[in-house]
Coordinates of all heavy atoms in Angstrom, one line a residue:
S51 N 129.2 86.2 71.6 CA 130.2 85.3 70.9 C 129.6 84.0 70.6 O 130.3 83.2 69.9 CB 131.5 85.2 71.8 OG 131.1 84.5 73.0
K52 N 128.4 83.7 71.1 CA 127.8 82.4 70.9 C 128.8 81.2 71.2 O 129.2 80.4 70.4 CB 127.3 82.2 69.5 CG 126.2 83.2 69.1 CD 125.5 82.8 67.8 CE 124.3 83.7 67.5 NZ 123.6 83.4 66.3
S53 N 129.2 81.2 72.4 CA 130.2 80.3 72.9 C 130.0 80.0 74.4 O 129.2 80.6 75.0 CB 131.6 80.8 72.7 OG 131.9 81.9 73.5
L54 N 130.7 79.0 74.9 CA 130.6 78.7 76.3 C 132.0 78.4 76.9 O 132.9 77.9 76.2 CB 129.7 77.6 76.6 CG 130.0 76.2 76.1 CD1 130.9 75.4 77.1 CD2 128.7 75.4 76.0
D55 N 132.2 78.7 78.2 CA 133.3 78.2 78.9 C 132.8 77.1 79.8 O 131.7 77.2 80.5 CB 133.9 79.3 79.8 CG 134.6 80.4 79.0 OD1 135.4 80.0 78.1 OD2 134.4 81.6 79.2
G56 N 133.5 76.0 79.8 CA 133.0 74.8 80.6 C 134.0 74.2 81.5 O 135.2 74.3 81.3
R57 N 133.5 73.5 82.4 CA 134.3 72.8 83.4 C 133.4 71.5 83.8 O 132.4 71.7 84.4 CB 134.6 73.6 84.6 CG 135.4 73.0 85.7 CD 135.6 73.9 86.8 NE 136.1 73.3 88.0 CZ 137.4 73.2 88.3 NH1 138.3 73.7 87.5 NH2 137.9 72.6 89.4
V58 N 133.9 70.3 83.4 CA 133.2 69.1 83.7 C 134.0 68.2 84.6 O 135.2 67.9 84.3 CB 132.8 68.4 82.4 CG1 132.1 67.0 82.8 CG2 131.9 69.2 81.6
T59 N 133.5 67.9 85.8 CA 134.2 66.9 86.7 C 133.4 65.6 86.6 O 132.2 65.5 86.9 CB 134.1 67.4 88.1 OG1 134.8 68.7 88.1 CG2 134.8 66.5 89.0
T60 N 134.1 64.6 86.1 CA 133.5 63.3 85.9 C 134.1 62.2 86.8 O 135.3 62.0 86.9 CB 133.7 62.8 84.5 OG1 133.3 63.8 83.6 CG2 133.0 61.5 84.2
T61 N 133.2 61.6 87.6 CA 133.6 60.5 88.5 C 133.2 59.2 87.8 O 132.0 59.0 87.4 CB 133.0 60.6 89.8 OG1 133.4 61.9 90.4 CG2 133.4 59.5 90.8
F62 N 134.1 58.2 87.7 CA 133.9 57.0 87.0 C 134.6 55.8 87.6 O 135.5 56.0 88.5 CB 134.3 57.1 85.5 CG 135.7 57.4 85.3 CD1 136.6 56.4 85.0 CD2 136.2 58.7 85.3 CE1 138.0 56.7 84.8 CE2 137.5 59.0 85.1 CZ 138.4 58.0 84.9
V63 N 134.2 54.6 87.2 CA 135.0 53.4 87.6 C 135.3 52.6 86.4 O 134.5 52.5 85.5 CB 134.2 52.5 88.6 CG1 133.9 53.3 89.9 CG2 132.8 52.2 88.0
P64 N 136.6 52.1 86.4 CA 137.0 51.2 85.2 C 136.2 49.9 85.2 O 135.8 49.4 86.3 CB 138.4 51.0 85.4 CG 138.9 52.1 86.4 CD 137.7 52.3 87.2
L65 N 136.0 49.4 84.0 CA 135.4 48.0 83.9 C 136.5 47.0 83.5 O 136.2 45.8 83.4 CB 134.3 48.1 82.8 CG 133.2 49.0 83.1 CD1 132.2 49.1 81.9 CD2 132.4 48.6 84.4
L66 N 137.7 47.5 83.2 CA 138.8 46.6 82.7 C 140.0 46.8 83.6 O 140.1 47.9 84.3 CB 139.2 46.9 81.3 CG 138.1 46.7 80.2 CD1 138.6 47.2 78.8 CD2 137.7 45.3 80.1
P67 N 140.8 45.8 83.8 CA 142.0 45.9 84.6 C 143.1 46.8 84.1 O 143.1 47.1 82.9 CB 142.5 44.4 84.8 CG 142.0 43.8 83.5 CD 140.7 44.4 83.2
N68 N 144.0 47.2 84.9 CA 145.1 48.0 84.5 C 144.7 49.2 83.7 O 145.2 49.5 82.6 CB 146.1 47.1 83.7 CG 146.6 45.9 84.5 OD1 146.9 46.1 85.7 ND2 146.6 44.8 83.8
F69 N 143.7 49.9 84.2 CA 143.1 51.0 83.5 C 143.9 52.3 83.7 O 143.9 52.8 84.8 CB 141.7 51.2 83.9 CG 140.8 52.1 83.1 CD1 140.1 51.6 82.0 CD2 140.7 53.5 83.4 CE1 139.4 52.5 81.2 CE2 140.0 54.3 82.6 CZ 139.3 53.8 81.5
S70 N 144.5 52.8 82.7 CA 145.4 54.0 82.9 C 145.1 55.1 81.9 O 145.6 56.2 82.1 CB 146.9 53.6 82.7 OG 147.1 53.1 81.4
T71 N 144.2 54.9 80.9 CA 143.9 55.9 80.0 C 142.3 55.9 79.8 O 141.8 54.9 79.6 CB 144.5 55.7 78.6 OG1 145.9 55.6 78.8 CG2 144.2 56.8 77.6
V72 N 141.7 57.1 80.0 CA 140.3 57.2 79.8 C 140.1 58.1 78.6 O 140.8 59.1 78.3 CB 139.6 57.8 81.0 CG1 140.1 59.2 81.3 CG2 138.1 57.8 80.8
V73 N 139.1 57.7 77.7 CA 138.8 58.4 76.5 C 137.3 58.9 76.6 O 136.4 58.1 76.8 CB 139.0 57.6 75.3 CG1 138.6 58.4 74.0 CG2 140.4 57.1 75.2
F74 N 137.1 60.2 76.5 CA 135.8 60.8 76.5 C 135.5 61.3 75.1 O 136.4 61.7 74.3 CB 135.7 62.0 77.4 CG 135.8 61.6 78.9 CD1 136.9 62.0 79.6 CD2 134.8 60.9 79.5 CE1 137.1 61.7 80.9 CE2 135.0 60.5 80.8 CZ 136.1 60.9 81.6
D75 N 134.2 61.3 74.7 CA 133.7 61.9 73.5 C 133.8 63.4 73.7 O 133.2 63.9 74.7 CB 132.3 61.5 73.1 CG 132.2 59.9 73.0 OD1 133.0 59.4 72.1 OD2 131.4 59.3 73.6
A76 N 134.4 64.2 72.9 CA 134.6 65.6 73.0 C 134.8 66.2 71.7 O 135.8 66.0 71.1 CB 135.7 66.0 74.0
G77 N 133.7 66.8 71.1 CA 133.8 67.3 69.7 C 134.0 68.8 69.6 O 133.3 69.6 70.3
D78 N 134.9 69.2 68.7 CA 135.2 70.6 68.4 C 135.4 71.5 69.6 O 134.8 72.6 69.7 CB 133.9 71.1 67.6 CG 133.7 70.4 66.3 OD1 134.7 69.7 65.8 OD2 132.6 70.4 65.7
M79 N 136.2 71.0 70.5 CA 136.4 71.8 71.8 C 137.9 72.2 71.8 O 138.8 71.5 71.3 CB 136.1 70.9 73.0 CG 134.7 70.6 73.2 SD 134.5 69.5 74.7 CE 132.7 69.3 74.6
K80 N 138.1 73.3 72.5 CA 139.5 73.7 72.9 C 139.7 73.4 74.3 O 139.1 73.9 75.2 CB 139.7 75.2 72.7 CG 141.1 75.7 73.0 CD 141.2 77.2 72.7 CE 142.6 77.6 73.1 NZ 142.8 79.1 72.9
I81 N 140.5 72.4 74.6 CA 140.8 71.9 76.0 C 141.8 72.9 76.6 O 142.9 73.1 76.1 CB 141.3 70.5 76.0 CG1 140.3 69.6 75.2 CG2 141.5 70.0 77.4 CD1 139.0 69.5 75.8
K82 N 141.5 73.4 77.8 CA 142.3 74.3 78.5 C 143.2 73.6 79.5 O 144.4 73.9 79.7 CB 141.5 75.4 79.1 CG 140.8 76.3 78.1 CD 139.7 77.1 78.8 CE 140.2 78.2 79.7 NZ 139.2 79.0 80.3
S83 N 142.6 72.6 80.2 CA 143.4 71.9 81.2 C 142.6 70.6 81.6 O 141.4 70.5 81.4 CB 143.6 72.7 82.5 OG 142.4 73.0 83.1
V84 N 143.4 69.6 82.1 CA 142.8 68.4 82.7 C 143.5 68.1 84.0 O 144.7 68.1 84.0 CB 142.9 67.2 81.7 CG1 142.3 66.0 82.3 CG2 142.3 67.5 80.4
T85 N 142.7 67.9 85.1 CA 143.3 67.6 86.3 C 142.6 66.4 87.0 O 141.5 66.1 86.7 CB 143.2 68.8 87.3 OG1 141.8 69.2 87.4 CG2 144.0 70.0 86.8
D86 N 143.3 65.8 88.0 CA 142.7 64.7 88.7 C 142.0 65.3 90.0 O 141.8 66.5 90.1 CB 143.7 63.7 89.1 CG 144.8 64.2 90.0 OD1 144.7 65.3 90.6 OD2 145.8 63.5 90.2
A87 N 141.6 64.4 90.9 CA 140.8 64.8 92.0 C 141.5 65.7 93.0 O 140.9 66.5 93.7 CB 140.3 63.5 92.7
K88 N 142.9 65.6 92.9 CA 143.7 66.4 93.8 C 144.2 67.7 93.2 O 144.9 68.5 93.8 CB 144.9 65.6 94.3 CG 144.5 64.4 95.2 CD 145.7 63.6 95.6 CE 145.3 62.4 96.5 NZ 146.5 61.6 96.9
G89 N 143.7 67.9 91.9 CA 144.1 69.1 91.2 C 145.4 69.0 90.5 O 145.9 70.0 89.9
K90 N 145.9 67.8 90.4 CA 147.2 67.6 89.7 C 146.9 67.5 88.2 O 146.0 66.9 87.7 CB 147.8 66.3 90.1 CG 149.1 65.9 89.4 CD 149.6 64.5 89.8 CE 150.8 64.1 89.0 NZ 151.3 62.8 89.4
A91 N 147.7 68.2 87.4 CA 147.6 68.3 86.0 C 147.9 66.9 85.3 O 148.8 66.2 85.7 CB 148.5 69.3 85.3
L92 N 147.0 66.5 84.4 CA 147.1 65.2 83.7 C 147.5 65.5 82.2 O 147.0 66.5 81.6 CB 145.9 64.4 83.8 CG 145.4 64.0 85.2 CD1 144.1 63.3 85.2 CD2 146.5 63.2 85.9
K93 N 148.2 64.6 81.7 CA 148.5 64.7 80.2 C 147.3 64.2 79.4 O 146.6 63.3 79.8 CB 149.8 63.8 79.9 CG 151.0 64.3 80.5 CD 152.2 63.3 80.2 CE 153.5 63.8 80.9 NZ 154.6 62.9 80.5
Y94 N 147.2 64.8 78.2 CA 146.0 64.5 77.4 C 146.3 64.7 75.9 O 147.3 65.5 75.6 CB 144.8 65.3 77.8 CG 144.9 66.8 77.6 CD1 144.6 67.4 76.4 CD2 145.4 67.6 78.6 CE1 144.7 68.8 76.2 CE2 145.5 69.0 78.5 CZ 145.2 69.5 77.3 OH 145.4 70.9 77.1
S95 N 145.6 64.1 75.1 CA 145.6 64.4 73.6 C 144.2 64.4 73.1 O 143.3 63.8 73.7 CB 146.5 63.4 72.9 OG 145.9 62.1 73.1
S96 N 144.0 65.1 72.0 CA 142.6 65.2 71.5 C 142.6 65.1 70.0 O 143.6 65.3 69.3 CB 142.0 66.6 71.9 OG 142.7 67.6 71.4
T97 N 141.4 64.7 69.5 CA 141.1 64.6 68.1 C 139.8 65.5 67.9 O 139.3 66.0 68.9 CB 140.8 63.2 67.6 OG1 139.5 62.8 68.1 CG2 141.9 62.3 68.1
P98 N 139.4 65.8 66.7 CA 138.1 66.5 66.6 C 136.9 65.9 67.2 O 135.9 66.6 67.5 CB 138.0 66.6 65.0 CG 139.3 66.5 64.5 CD 140.0 65.5 65.4
E99 N 137.0 64.6 67.6 CA 135.8 64.0 68.2 C 136.1 63.4 69.6 O 135.2 62.9 70.3 CB 135.4 62.8 67.3 CG 134.6 63.3 66.1 CD 133.3 63.9 66.4 OE1 132.6 63.5 67.4 OE2 132.9 64.8 65.6
S100 N 137.3 63.4 70.1 CA 137.6 62.7 71.4 C 138.7 63.3 72.2 O 139.5 64.1 71.6 CB 137.9 61.2 71.1 OG 139.1 61.1 70.4
L101 N 138.7 63.0 73.4 CA 139.8 63.5 74.4 C 140.3 62.3 75.1 O 139.5 61.5 75.8 CB 139.2 64.5 75.3 CG 140.1 65.0 76.5 CD1 141.3 65.7 75.9 CD2 139.3 65.8 77.5
S102 N 141.6 62.0 75.0 CA 142.3 60.9 75.6 C 143.1 61.4 76.8 O 144.0 62.3 76.6 CB 143.1 60.1 74.6 OG 143.8 59.0 75.3
I103 N 142.9 60.9 78.0 CA 143.6 61.4 79.2 C 144.4 60.3 79.8 O 143.9 59.2 80.1 CB 142.5 61.9 80.2 CG1 141.6 63.0 79.6 CG2 143.2 62.4 81.5 CD1 140.5 63.4 80.5
D104 N 145.7 60.6 80.0 CA 146.6 59.7 80.8 C 146.3 59.9 82.3 O 146.6 61.0 82.8 CB 148.0 60.0 80.4 CG 149.0 59.1 81.1 OD1 148.7 58.4 82.0 OD2 150.2 59.1 80.7
L105 N 145.8 58.9 82.9 CA 145.5 59.1 84.4 C 146.7 59.1 85.3 O 146.5 59.4 86.5 CB 144.5 58.0 84.8 CG 143.2 58.0 84.0 CD1 142.4 56.7 84.4 CD2 142.4 59.2 84.3
G106 N 147.9 58.9 84.8 CA 149.0 59.0 85.6 C 149.2 57.8 86.6 O 150.2 57.7 87.3
Q107 N 148.3 56.8 86.5 CA 148.4 55.6 87.3 C 147.4 54.6 86.8 O 146.5 54.9 86.0 CB 148.1 55.9 88.8 CG 146.7 56.2 89.1 CD 146.4 56.4 90.6 OE1 146.6 57.5 91.1 NE2 145.8 55.4 91.2
S108 N 147.5 53.3 87.2 CA 146.6 52.3 86.8 C 145.5 52.1 87.9 O 145.8 52.2 89.1 CB 147.3 51.0 86.6 OG 148.2 51.1 85.5
Y109 N 144.3 51.9 87.4 CA 143.1 51.7 88.3 C 142.6 50.3 88.0 O 142.6 49.8 86.9 CB 142.0 52.8 88.0 CG 142.4 54.2 88.5 CD1 143.2 55.0 87.7 CD2 141.9 54.6 89.7 CE1 143.5 56.3 88.1 CE2 142.1 55.9 90.1 CZ 143.0 56.7 89.3 OH 143.3 58.0 89.8
S110 N 142.0 49.8 89.1 CA 141.4 48.4 89.0 C 139.9 48.6 88.7 O 139.3 49.6 89.1 CB 141.6 47.7 90.3 OG 143.0 47.5 90.6
P111 N 139.2 47.6 88.2 CA 137.8 47.6 88.1 C 137.1 48.0 89.4 O 137.4 47.4 90.4 CB 137.4 46.2 87.6 CG 138.6 45.7 86.9 CD 139.8 46.3 87.7
G112 N 136.2 48.9 89.3 CA 135.4 49.4 90.5 C 136.1 50.4 91.3 O 135.5 51.0 92.2
Q113 N 137.4 50.7 91.0 CA 138.1 51.8 91.8 C 137.7 53.2 91.2 O 137.9 53.4 90.0 CB 139.6 51.5 91.7 CG 140.4 52.5 92.5 CD 141.9 52.2 92.3 OE1 142.4 51.3 91.6 NE2 142.7 53.0 93.0
K114 N 137.2 54.0 92.1 CA 136.8 55.4 91.6 C 138.0 56.2 91.1 O 139.0 56.2 91.7 CB 136.1 56.1 92.7 CG 134.7 55.6 93.0 CD 134.0 56.5 94.0 CE 132.6 56.0 94.3 NZ 131.9 57.0 95.3
A115 N 137.7 57.0 90.1 CA 138.6 57.9 89.6 C 137.8 59.2 89.2 O 136.7 59.1 88.8 CB 139.4 57.4 88.3
T116 N 138.5 60.4 89.3 CA 137.8 61.6 89.0 C 138.8 62.5 88.2 O 139.9 62.6 88.5 CB 137.4 62.4 90.3 OG1 136.5 61.6 91.0 CG2 136.8 63.7 89.9
V117 N 138.2 63.1 87.1 CA 139.0 64.0 86.3 C 138.1 65.3 86.1 O 136.9 65.2 86.0 CB 139.4 63.4 84.9 CG1 140.4 62.3 85.1 CG2 138.2 63.0 84.1
T118 N 138.8 66.4 86.0 CA 138.1 67.6 85.7 C 138.7 68.2 84.4 O 139.9 68.4 84.3 CB 138.3 68.6 86.9 OG1 137.7 68.1 88.0 CG2 137.6 70.0 86.5
I119 N 137.8 68.6 83.5 CA 138.2 69.1 82.2 C 137.7 70.5 82.1 O 136.5 70.8 82.2 CB 137.6 68.2 81.1 CG1 138.1 66.8 81.2 CG2 138.1 68.8 79.7 CD1 137.2 65.8 80.4
A120 N 138.6 71.4 81.8 CA 138.3 72.8 81.5 C 138.4 73.0 80.0 O 139.4 72.6 79.4 CB 139.1 73.8 82.3
Y121 N 137.4 73.7 79.4 CA 137.4 73.8 78.0 C 136.6 75.0 77.5 O 135.9 75.6 78.3 CB 136.8 72.5 77.4 CG 135.4 72.3 77.8 CD1 134.3 72.6 76.9 CD2 135.1 71.8 79.0 CE1 133.0 72.4 77.3 CE2 133.8 71.5 79.4 CZ 132.8 71.9 78.6 OH 131.4 71.7 78.9
T122 N 136.7 75.3 76.3 CA 135.7 76.3 75.6 C 135.2 75.6 74.4 O 135.8 74.7 73.8 CB 136.5 77.6 75.2 OG1 137.5 77.2 74.3 CG2 137.1 78.3 76.4
S123 N 134.0 76.1 74.0 CA 133.3 75.5 72.8 C 132.5 76.6 72.2 O 131.8 77.4 72.8 CB 132.5 74.3 73.2 OG 131.7 73.9 72.1
S124 N 132.5 76.6 70.8 CA 131.6 77.4 70.1 C 130.8 76.6 69.0 O 130.3 77.1 68.1 CB 132.3 78.6 69.4 OG 133.4 78.0 68.6
S125 N 130.9 75.3 69.2 CA 130.2 74.4 68.3 C 128.7 74.6 68.4 O 128.1 74.8 69.5 CB 130.6 72.9 68.6 OG 129.8 72.0 67.7
T126 N 128.0 74.4 67.3 CA 126.5 74.5 67.2 C 125.9 73.2 66.9 O 124.7 73.1 66.7 CB 126.1 75.6 66.2 OG1 126.6 75.2 64.9 CG2 126.5 76.9 66.5
K127 N 126.7 72.1 67.0 CA 126.2 70.8 66.7 C 125.3 70.2 67.8 O 124.3 69.6 67.5 CB 127.3 69.8 66.4 CG 128.1 70.1 65.1 CD 129.2 69.1 64.8 CE 129.9 69.4 63.5 NZ 131.0 68.4 63.3
G128 N 125.7 70.5 69.0 CA 124.9 70.0 70.1 C 124.2 71.1 70.9 O 123.4 70.8 71.8
L129 N 124.5 72.3 70.6 CA 124.0 73.4 71.4 C 123.6 74.5 70.4 O 124.4 75.0 69.6 CB 125.0 73.9 72.4 CG 124.5 75.1 73.4 CD1 123.4 74.6 74.2 CD2 125.6 75.5 74.2
T130 N 122.3 75.0 70.5 CA 121.8 76.0 69.6 C 121.9 77.4 70.3 O 121.4 77.5 71.4 CB 120.4 75.7 69.1 OG1 120.4 74.5 68.3 CG2 119.8 76.9 68.3
Y131 N 122.5 78.3 69.7 CA 122.5 79.7 70.2 C 121.5 80.5 69.2 O 121.9 80.9 68.1 CB 123.8 80.4 70.1 CG 124.9 79.6 70.8 CD1 125.6 78.6 70.3 CD2 125.3 80.1 72.1 CE1 126.6 77.9 71.0 CE2 126.3 79.4 72.8 CZ 127.0 78.3 72.3 OH 128.0 77.7 72.9
N132 N 120.3 80.6 69.7 CA 119.2 81.1 68.8 C 119.1 82.6 68.9 O 118.5 83.1 69.9 CB 117.9 80.4 69.0 CG 116.9 80.6 67.9 OD1 117.3 80.8 66.8 ND2 115.6 80.6 68.2
N133 N 119.7 83.3 68.1 CA 119.6 84.8 68.1 C 120.1 85.4 69.4 O 119.6 86.5 69.8 CB 118.2 85.3 67.7 CG 118.2 86.7 67.3 OD1 119.0 87.2 66.6 ND2 117.2 87.5 67.7
T134 N 121.1 84.8 70.0 CA 121.5 85.4 71.3 C 122.4 86.6 71.0 O 122.5 87.5 71.9 CB 122.4 84.4 72.1 OG1 123.5 83.9 71.2 CG2 121.6 83.2 72.5
D135 N 122.8 86.8 69.8 CA 123.5 88.1 69.4 C 122.5 89.1 69.0 O 123.0 90.2 68.6 CB 124.6 87.8 68.4 CG 124.0 87.1 67.1 OD1 122.8 87.0 67.0 OD2 124.8 86.8 66.2
L136 N 121.2 88.9 68.9 CA 120.2 89.8 68.6 C 120.3 90.4 67.2 O 119.9 91.5 67.0 CB 120.2 90.9 69.7 CG 120.0 90.5 71.1 CD1 120.0 91.7 72.0 CD2 118.6 89.8 71.3
K137 N 120.8 89.6 66.3 CA 121.0 90.1 64.9 C 119.7 90.0 64.1 O 119.6 90.6 63.0 CB 122.2 89.4 64.3 CG 123.5 89.9 64.8 CD 124.7 89.2 64.1 CE 126.0 89.7 64.6 NZ 127.2 89.1 63.9
I138 N 118.8 89.1 64.5 CA 117.6 88.9 63.7 C 116.4 89.6 64.4 O 116.0 89.1 65.5 CB 117.3 87.4 63.6 CG1 118.5 86.7 62.9 CG2 116.1 87.2 62.7 CD1 118.4 85.2 62.9
P139 N 115.9 90.6 63.9 CA 114.7 91.3 64.5 C 113.5 90.4 64.7 O 113.2 89.6 63.8 CB 114.4 92.4 63.5 CG 115.7 92.6 62.7 CD 116.3 91.3 62.6
G140 N 112.9 90.4 65.8 CA 111.7 89.7 66.1 C 112.0 88.3 66.6 O 111.0 87.6 67.1
K141 N 113.2 87.8 66.6 CA 113.5 86.5 67.1 C 113.9 86.6 68.6 O 114.5 87.5 69.1 CB 114.7 85.9 66.4 CG 114.4 85.4 65.0 CD 113.7 84.1 65.0 CE 113.5 83.5 63.6 NZ 112.8 82.3 63.6
R142 N 113.4 85.6 69.4 CA 113.7 85.6 70.8 C 115.1 85.0 71.0 O 115.4 83.9 70.5 CB 112.7 84.7 71.5 CG 111.2 85.2 71.4 CD 110.3 84.2 72.1 NE 108.9 84.5 71.7 CZ 108.1 85.3 72.4 NH1 108.6 85.9 73.5 NH2 106.9 85.6 72.1
P143 N 115.9 85.6 71.9 CA 117.2 85.0 72.2 C 117.0 83.8 73.1 O 116.4 83.9 74.2 CB 118.0 86.1 72.9 CG 116.9 87.0 73.5 CD 115.7 86.9 72.6
Q144 N 117.6 82.7 72.7 CA 117.4 81.4 73.5 C 118.7 80.5 73.3 O 119.3 80.6 72.2 CB 116.2 80.6 73.0 CG 114.9 81.4 73.3 CD 113.7 80.7 72.6 OE1 113.9 79.9 71.6 NE2 112.5 80.9 73.1

Side-chain angles (χ1 to χ4, degrees):
S51 63
K52 294 188 173 183
S53 64
L54 66 82
D55 290 312
R57 176 183 170 91
V58 175
T59 301
T60 304
T61 302
F62 61 93
V63 293
L65 301 176
L66 297 176
N68 302 316
F69 191 88
S70 59
T71 302
V72 64
V73 180
F74 294 111
D75 301 305
D78 299 341
M79 292 178 181
K80 181 179 179 181
I81 306 300
K82 297 165 66 176
S83 67
V84 180
T85 56
D86 65 11
K88 296 180 180 180
K90 178 183 176 182
L92 299 176
K93 296 179 181 179
Y94 63 89
S95 62
S96 62
T97 73
E99 286 290 330
S100 66
L101 173 65
S102 178
I103 302 171
D104 182 347
L105 296 173
Q107 69 177 81
S108 292
Y109 288 80
S110 302
Q113 183 180 2
K114 284 186 182 181
T116 299
V117 295
T118 298
I119 304 163
Y121 63 98
T122 61
S123 172
S124 58
S125 175
T126 58
K127 291 181 181 178
L129 184 63
T130 294
Y131 302 84
N132 196 29
N133 199 38
T134 57
D135 56 6
L136 302 178
K137 289 184 177 180
I138 305 173
K141 287 282 184 182
R142 301 177 189 271
Q144 295 169 339

